[in-house]
């Protein structure tokens, strides 16, 4: 991902939220999401640089169609030997074309190369298509759940885990 990709990544992220989370998150919140505001935040974060957080994009015919981001997993403020998949979004018009699988595979490969042992992620409990996607990729729920506050509404999330190598380590 480059700085120039930020507006398109924000468009994909916002349209992804508005599509995937319809009925799971208050509609007023989804309607208020702004691609321009998200792009400004994304550019600011991206501009900070650093190598711990990895942003990757997928392109088709010269157009960015998906985005994945991963980095260190924290248990509170404590660093662990795990990595967290912070986000993966595919433009709603491109869902089902293998873009998400390609992004996830590349992210896992990079996590393995960086020496991480496990990948964790949080997914909305009611987002069944996303949960199935992760389960097909070898992720399993580990029993952790916590609410995600959206405009004063507690939206439950569940945590999934997968060994980077495909074999869980102790």
């Amino acid at each position: 991902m480059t700085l120039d990709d930020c507006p398109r990544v924000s468009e994909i992220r916002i349209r992804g939220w508005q599509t995937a989370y319809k009925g799971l998150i208050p509609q007023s919140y989804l309607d208020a999401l702004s691609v321009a505001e998200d792009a400004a935040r994304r550019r600011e974060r991206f501009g900070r640089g650093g190598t711990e957080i990895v942003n990757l994009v997928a392109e088709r015919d010269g157009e960015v169609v998906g985005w994945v981001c991963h980095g260190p997993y924290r248990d509170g403020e404590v660093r662990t030997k795990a990595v967290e998949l912070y986000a993966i979004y595919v433009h709603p018009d491109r869902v089902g074309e293998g873009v998400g699988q390609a992004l996830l595979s590349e992210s896992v490969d990079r996590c393995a190369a960086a020496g991480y042992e496990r990948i964790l992620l949080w997914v909305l409990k009611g987002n069944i298509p996303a949960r199935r996607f992760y389960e097909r990729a070898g992720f399993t729920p580990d029993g952790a759940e916590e609410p995600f506050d959206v405009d004063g509404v507690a939206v439950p999330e569940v945590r999934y885990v997968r060994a980077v190598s495909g074999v869980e380590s102790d």
Side-chain angles (χ1 to χ4, degrees), residues 13-21 25 29-30 33 89 148:
R13 181 180 170 278
I14 297 300
R15 299 300 169 246
W17 271 64
Q18 291 171 331
T19 302
Y21 303 152
I25 287 181
Y29 181 85
L30 296 174
L33 292 173
Y89 290 96
F148 172 59

Side-chain angles (χ1 to χ4, degrees), residues 84-117:
E84 182 173 352
L85 182 70
Y86 299 134
I88 182 168
Y89 290 96
V90 174
H91 192 281
D93 294 342
R94 298 297 187 128
V95 170
E97 295 180 2
V99 175
Q101 291 170 352
L103 284 166
L104 184 57
S105 178
E106 181 65 23
S107 184
V108 169
D109 289 349
R110 289 184 184 224
C111 290
Y116 289 107
E117 296 174 1

